[in-house]
């Protein structure tokens, strides 16, 4: 197969940042994707309906005129979140979901939740109104090894929480382990999971063997090969439980390549080419549309996009820029480690 037509994709987990970085990275997404769930981990974070409305306006102002794009806003859950403000943000259509970051789990997550007990009333309210909770599923306990943090989170936080509030709709964001795949599969219709492009491609050898690769450093950290294979199986299975959340997370080169480099990989610009490559390798191109364009909207109760895109396989490798420019400095584009041949045509 050398041409594949699919419904226009959506990105169910994206970091757009703010200011000049927002203006630099947004077109890479809005060129190809119709909608994206926009992460609220700005500094300071997007906590209230008012914050979300203002951020949405800044995003809308940065969309190139020729692109149609809808940002789906999220609120950052804190132990002080006001349940009425959050419920109103959802029922009025301003906000699509709420993001749970365990405090300290990832970039700009210091205002996150320290003790889940303190947010139970808000989560119960969300369950009542059907508002999805998007979870960064890693414990931050110092004793727990960074490679085990997802599995421990599932056992000690997520599973007890779902038993306590079974009607809460939950998305396990950017799962990276077999345990994450198995847990998502074991849940009812209230549970789903996003998978990133880079976790389908990288294992921890790519990060660490032959010299450290700061451009492959992200959270949750890339795992061993058996976990990567489990993710590939899940993503290409067609199961409605799994859909794309790129977690494209731009940082300037200076902030990534230094003594304490930031976590995050900028994949927005070549994600669809990478995914077509992965799905073709797995003999599952017929499942790509479900992963990028159908399963996400179905979980969120939205219609899939009407427009289509074509993925066209060329004979010669496609050249993506190695970096994109921002006023704050260059941002390195994800290098999948192989040449890309699938090009998006709209
Ligand atoms: N992971 N980097 C970032 C967020 C994600 O956990 C995440 O969602 C970021 O830079 O905002 C990252 O590695
Ligand atoms: Zn996260
Ligand atoms: Zn993220």
């Amino acid at each position: 197969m050398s041409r594949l037509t699919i419904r226009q994709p959506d990105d169910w987990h994206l970091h757009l940042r703010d200011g000049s970085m927002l203006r630099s990275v947004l077109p890479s997404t809005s060129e190809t994707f119709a909608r994206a769930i926009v992460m609220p981990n700005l500094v300071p974070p997007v906590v209230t309906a008012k914050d979300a409305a203002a951020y949405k306006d800044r995003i809308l102002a940065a969309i190139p005129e020729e692109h149609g794009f809808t940002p789906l806003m999220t609120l950052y859950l804190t132990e002080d979140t006001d349940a009425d403000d959050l419920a109103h943000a959802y029922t009025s259509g301003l906000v699509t979901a709420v993001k749970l970051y365990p405090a300290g789990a990832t970039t700009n997550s210091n205002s996150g939740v320290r003790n889940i007990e303190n947010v139970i009333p808000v989560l119960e309210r969300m369950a009542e109104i059907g508002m999805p909770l998007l979870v960064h599923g890693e414990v931050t306990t110092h004793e727990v090894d960074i490679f085990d943090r997802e599995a421990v989170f599932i056992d000690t936080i997520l599973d007890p929480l779902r038993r306590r509030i079974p009607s809460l709709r939950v998305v396990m964001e950017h799962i990276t382990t077999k345990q994450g795949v198995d847990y998502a599969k074991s849940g009812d219709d209230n549970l789903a999971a996003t998978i990133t492009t880079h976790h389908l491609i990288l294992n921890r050898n790519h990060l660490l063997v032959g010299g450290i690769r700061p451009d492959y450093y992200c959270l949750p950290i890339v795992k061993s090969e058996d976990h990567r294979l489990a993710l590939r199986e899940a993503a290409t299975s067609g199961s409605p439980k799994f859909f794309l959340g790129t977690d494209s997370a731009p940082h300037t080169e200076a902030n990534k390549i230094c003594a304490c480099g930031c976590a995050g990989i900028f994949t927005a610009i070549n994600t669809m080419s990478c995914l077509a490559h992965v799905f073709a390798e797995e003999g599952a191109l017929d499942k790509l549309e479900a992963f990028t364009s159908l399963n996400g909207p179905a979980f969120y109760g939205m219609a899939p996009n009407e427009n289509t895109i074509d993925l066209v396989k060329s004979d010669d490798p496609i050249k993506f820029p190695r970096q994109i420019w921002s006023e704050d400095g260059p941002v390195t584009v994800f290098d999948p480690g192989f040449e890309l041949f699938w090009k998006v045509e709209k």
Side-chain angles (χ1 to χ4, degrees), residues 13 15 39 41 99-102 105-107 109 135-138 173-174 219-220 247:
H13 181 133
H15 298 268
M39 287 296 129
N41 64 332
K99 187 67 199 274
L100 167 67
Y101 290 103
T106 188
T107 310
S109 62
V135 180
H136 180 110
E138 288 191 292
E173 295 295 312
H174 51 50
L219 292 170
D247 202 6

Side-chain angles (χ1 to χ4, degrees), residues 90-250:
Y90 179 66
T91 50
S92 70
L94 169 66
V95 153
T96 304
V98 172
K99 187 67 199 274
L100 167 67
Y101 290 103
T106 188
T107 310
N108 302 336
S109 62
N110 287 336
S111 331
V113 173
R114 272 158 232 283
N115 183 351
I116 194 94
E117 286 303 318
N118 295 333
V119 294
I120 293 291
V122 174
L123 299 180
E124 283 171 342
R125 181 73 173 276
M126 289 170 60
E128 263 169 50
I129 60 175
M131 185 178 199
L133 179 72
L134 316 185
V135 180
H136 180 110
E138 288 191 292
V139 294
T140 52
T141 339
H142 285 293
E143 306 80 76
V144 179
D145 188 272
I146 190 168
F147 289 98
D148 300 333
R149 288 178 170 200
E150 182 171 300
V152 173
F153 183 90
I154 292 169
D155 290 344
T156 61
I157 310 278
L158 184 58
D159 189 56
L161 173 65
R162 291 191 56 253
R163 286 174 196 277
R164 191 157 165 190
I165 318 179
S167 57
L168 183 64
R169 297 181 61 68
V170 174
V171 183
M172 302 168 69
E173 295 295 312
H174 51 50
I175 55 169
T176 61
T177 59
K178 235 159 93 50
Q179 290 93 328
V181 169
D182 290 343
Y183 190 73
K185 280 186 186 162
S186 76
D188 60 13
D189 290 350
N190 286 331
L191 185 66
T194 59
I195 300 178
T196 77
T197 306
H198 47 281
H199 286 102
L200 293 173
I201 293 173
L202 302 176
N203 65 32
R204 63 195 190 188
N205 279 8
H206 296 110
L207 173 71
L208 296 169
V209 172
I212 192 160
R213 291 283 304 257
D215 56 324
Y216 290 164
Y217 174 56
C218 63
L219 292 170
I221 194 135
V222 294
K223 307 294 192 300
S224 57
E225 179 65 0
D226 50 333
H227 292 294
R228 187 186 73 105
L229 294 177
L231 296 173
R232 279 171 87 108
E233 194 278 324
T236 60
S237 69
S239 159
K241 295 246 161 232
F242 303 104
F243 42 88
L244 173 65
T246 65
D247 202 6
S248 181

